[in-house]
Amino acid sequence: MNLWCVSMECAGIAEAGGVKNVTYSLCKEFSLLGHNVTLFIPSFKCTQFNLLQNIQKDFFSSQLKICDKNETVSYTKALFTEGNFQVILINHKCFAEKEAVYTYTEHEQKLNPDFIKGSGHLDSPFMDILFQKSVFEYFIHHQNEQLPQIIHCQDASTAVLPAFFHNIQKQKLPQFVVTIHNAGPFYHHEFKNLEQAEYFTSLPDKLLKNSMNNNKVEPFLIAANVKAKLTTVSPEYAKELVNPAFHNQTDGLSTIFASKKIKITGITNGFDFERYNPKDKNCSKLPYEFDPSSRNLAGKFLCREYFLQNVVQSDNFDTTGIKKYGLISQKNGIFIAYHGRITTQKGISVLTSAIPNIIRNFDDVHFVIAGQGETVLENKIIELTKKYPQRVFFINGYNQKVVRLATASCDFMVLPSFFEPCGLEDFIAQSYGTLPIAHKTGGLNKIIDNKTGFLYKDNTPEALTAKLSEVIMIKKLKPNFIISMIKKASDYIYREYLWKNVIEKKYIPFFEKIQKF
């Protein structure tokens, strides 16, 4: 199979959210299974080249018409060393000047007050369409080469691409798959009105009008209206996306999907276990090795001591990219982590309201929170570190080794998302012997309650407090039960969710099926 993957991000090249891991793992595993894979991705200021080889810079260039102007883009070809797949990087100044994939950094805000840290790029519609038109132009100019059978578009920033191919007079075009990674508010990359969509895309008026959600034009609807196949990252989230009851969580899209009877296929993301394997320090990036699958957890608790001594209590560890708030000096007791974006979607307000209840009721429970995002929510966490010294520690920012160490050091990982398409942090936690405690929603339903983690239904501070209290008491009264759960969780994700297995059992049959139509 010849597969093109189109994504704004990829682990090891340009990283932002969970899409980076999916993009990387899909490309790598398809390539290792003998398929011909090419990744298309913009070249940002933050792009890393250390895992790329055979780099051919500016091997091709093209002129695109966008917003009534001609724009020149060039293309760089390379080989990704981990997985042996081809990468085509799109070069243009609108990408090259960006320090992050989707949002402005603190440094960019200092240079220009209009570039607010954490907010989306002001020219994101231009960036999205330029990227997608660049992929289309590459296809048009390389039709004498082996062309793709499948073009797999990752999330809303690439969902318009199928429409550019729609009117090509060619007997055999690729099949398009558009994966919805998150349909929540602020993730749609929608055009604010019909006029803006026409200005940037130059697509037919009829198509754009048929792809509207209130006054906005939705990329996912554009894809559906040109017969692209829509998928999402878990079967449970697929059900939510076509259920009008989830109108607010999808900013109205689920109501439209339901009314148009649009089919969405749910395929749960896999997990690249070898990137986190705690039995190998080179993979896990942890100071000590341990094996949850054999109940050997001695190294896990040595990681906790190391974390407290070298990250929390001192600066003996490289903490580039993060700011630290709070202090924990007690290594005994129960440690509960949160790692992820500090955003409304992730239920941070539920967590920050529940933490004081737990601290009042249990004097040996500590919280370690890691992430970055909305300033108001970050400030609430900082306030907790001041109000409860020695009980709450906040890692603000991102540093891969630090956050992995924090996750491995804790007993539990709390995930109070209001909605969650798939979730990766539960996989990472389970691989490190850290049991997830999660709101029963979307992709978090892959956690088996009381076997591979814990689930609760109502996402309120009271419900989370009750569930945390219950789990804390189980840990105190039935420690062997917790250890048995740790083993079950580790075994389960390795058996069911390795990317190789997901691709062989789910993706390849799905791709083969859609090629027959």
Side-chain angles (χ1 to χ4, degrees):
M1 183 185 302
N2 194 19
L3 170 68
W4 282 10
C5 184
V6 183
S7 180
M8 279 283 187
E9 54 177 306
C10 178
I13 301 177
E15 304 185 355
V19 177
K20 68 179 183 294
N21 300 297
V22 177
T23 299
Y24 165 76
S25 295
L26 280 170
C27 292
K28 182 186 78 168
E29 295 300 336
F30 265 105
S31 180
L32 292 176
L33 287 168
H35 301 279
N36 186 17
V37 179
T38 300
L39 167 67
F40 287 82
I41 187 171
S43 182
F44 298 98
K45 192 172 186 177
C46 61
T47 294
Q48 304 170 60
F49 290 88
N50 55 305
L51 294 178
L52 300 178
Q53 63 181 17
N54 301 338
I55 298 173
Q56 301 175 47
K57 188 173 177 58
D58 300 333
F59 80 99
F60 173 68
S61 64
S62 182
Q63 272 207 340
L64 318 174
K65 190 166 186 179
I66 179 171
C67 303
D68 298 325
K69 294 180 180 180
N70 290 323
E71 298 287 345
T72 301
V73 296
S74 67
Y75 301 75
T76 296
K77 184 186 295 185
L79 187 70
F80 199 103
T81 57
E82 295 184 358
N84 206 39
F85 57 89
Q86 182 173 261
V87 179
I88 304 291
L89 297 115
I90 310 298
N91 304 303
H92 186 273
K93 63 180 181 180
C94 74
F95 305 125
E97 64 191 13
K98 301 299 190 301
E99 296 182 0
V101 176
Y102 303 113
T103 60
Y104 291 114
T105 65
E106 185 176 0
H107 177 252
E108 286 173 305
Q109 183 174 350
K110 289 179 180 177
L111 296 177
N112 186 336
D114 292 334
F115 298 164
I116 299 171
K117 174 197 168 188
S119 66
H121 295 132
L122 297 176
D123 60 345
S124 62
F126 178 83
M127 293 169 62
D128 290 352
I129 297 304
L130 181 72
F131 174 44
Q132 292 168 93
K133 283 193 172 183
S134 298
V135 176
F136 174 70
E137 283 295 317
Y138 188 90
F139 179 93
I140 294 299
H141 287 88
H142 291 78
Q143 293 189 55
N144 293 328
E145 299 179 5
Q146 186 180 11
L147 291 176
Q149 296 156 290
I150 302 286
I151 297 182
H152 191 180
C153 304
Q154 306 299 329
D155 225 9
S157 58
T158 64
V160 178
L161 180 60
F164 295 135
F165 285 75
H166 191 53
N167 292 320
I168 293 180
Q169 300 300 315
K170 185 177 173 67
Q171 287 185 339
K172 186 67 175 176
L173 284 174
Q175 289 290 334
F176 280 88
V177 176
V178 174
T179 294
I180 302 172
H181 289 266
N182 196 328
F186 312 113
Y187 291 95
H188 294 198
H189 288 242
E190 70 272 14
F191 300 98
K192 63 182 181 181
N193 52 45
L194 184 62
E195 291 73 22
Q196 187 189 51
E198 291 173 339
Y199 179 64
F200 282 103
T201 70
S202 300
L203 289 170
D205 186 69
K206 182 179 178 181
L207 171 61
L208 297 175
K209 285 182 176 177
N210 198 32
S211 304
M212 297 187 75
N213 179 5
N214 291 321
N215 294 321
K216 301 174 183 177
V217 179
E218 295 277 1
F220 291 133
L221 292 176
I222 292 175
N225 286 328
V226 295
K227 308 303 181 185
K229 303 299 186 294
L230 300 189
T231 68
T232 192
V233 290
S234 70
E236 289 296 325
Y237 195 56
K239 294 176 185 176
E240 294 177 4
L241 285 178
V242 294
N243 185 346
F246 290 86
H247 181 95
N248 291 335
Q249 293 93 323
T250 61
D251 206 18
L253 265 182
S254 66
T255 302
I256 299 174
F257 285 147
S259 67
K260 290 178 175 285
K261 295 182 170 53
I262 292 171
K263 183 179 179 181
I264 300 175
T265 301
I267 301 176
T268 301
N269 285 337
F271 180 58
D272 195 349
F273 181 80
E274 289 308 314
R275 294 185 68 210
Y276 299 90
N277 185 0
K279 292 185 288 185
D280 184 344
K281 290 190 291 186
N282 293 322
C283 297
S284 69
K285 313 300 183 186
L286 299 174
Y288 298 96
E289 296 175 351
F290 56 98
D291 183 11
S293 64
S294 65
R295 308 186 190 212
N296 175 13
L297 301 175
K300 177 179 175 67
F301 298 107
L302 289 174
C303 284
R304 177 182 295 179
E305 291 185 24
Y306 184 93
F307 172 67
L308 291 174
Q309 291 173 5
N310 295 283
V311 177
V312 180
Q313 299 163 7
S314 67
D315 293 314
N316 295 329
F317 195 84
D318 180 11
T319 56
T320 301
I322 64 171
K323 296 178 181 178
K324 301 185 295 182
Y325 299 90
L327 179 68
I328 299 174
S329 57
Q330 175 60 259
K331 69 178 182 180
N332 297 318
I334 295 172
F335 284 69
I336 299 173
Y338 169 83
H339 174 230
R341 295 194 308 278
I342 307 297
T343 62
T344 301
Q345 177 214 329
K346 295 294 184 179
I348 301 301
S349 60
V350 176
L351 177 59
T352 54
S353 296
I355 284 175
N357 300 332
I358 296 299
I359 287 177
R360 281 194 296 268
N361 294 332
F362 300 95
D363 58 9
D364 60 346
V365 175
H366 311 279
F367 289 88
V368 176
I369 301 172
Q372 58 188 330
E374 297 171 24
T375 302
V376 171
L377 295 175
E378 289 181 349
N379 288 339
K380 285 186 177 181
I381 299 169
I382 293 171
E383 288 173 12
L384 287 175
T385 66
K386 295 175 180 177
K387 187 173 181 180
Y388 302 104
Q390 300 288 333
R391 305 293 297 278
V392 181
F393 183 69
F394 181 29
I395 301 164
N396 186 206
Y398 180 75
N399 177 302
Q400 184 190 78
K401 290 184 178 181
V402 171
V403 297
R404 287 191 181 192
L405 182 56
T407 298
S409 299
C410 290
D411 301 289
F412 303 103
M413 169 72 72
V414 60
L415 300 167
S417 298
F418 285 109
F419 62 93
E420 192 64 64
C422 180
L424 175 64
E425 295 306 323
D426 52 328
F427 280 150
I428 297 173
Q430 288 165 323
S431 71
Y432 287 163
T434 303
L435 294 175
I437 303 168
H439 176 218
K440 185 176 173 60
T441 185
L444 294 175
N445 280 284
K446 65 184 178 291
I447 298 167
I448 304 175
D449 192 27
N450 285 298
K451 290 186 178 179
T452 66
F454 301 91
L455 296 173
Y456 66 98
K457 290 184 178 180
D458 298 323
N459 203 24
T460 64
E462 293 76 19
L464 178 56
T465 298
K467 178 54 68 173
L468 289 175
S469 300
E470 175 191 333
V471 173
I472 289 166
M473 292 310 299
I474 292 173
K475 168 73 172 171
K476 289 174 176 289
L477 300 175
K478 299 180 180 179
N480 289 334
F481 177 72
I482 295 295
I483 292 174
S484 69
M485 282 184 66
I486 288 172
K487 173 178 169 50
K488 287 177 184 176
S490 177
D491 292 345
Y492 178 69
I493 62 168
Y494 189 83
R495 182 178 69 249
E496 297 293 330
Y497 292 109
L498 287 185
W499 264 113
K500 179 177 181 292
N501 296 339
V502 171
I503 287 172
E504 289 182 328
K505 294 178 182 179
K506 301 293 183 180
Y507 269 105
I508 290 178
F510 177 72
F511 285 171
E512 289 176 344
K513 180 180 178 181
I514 66 175
Q515 287 184 74
K516 294 178 182 178
F517 295 95

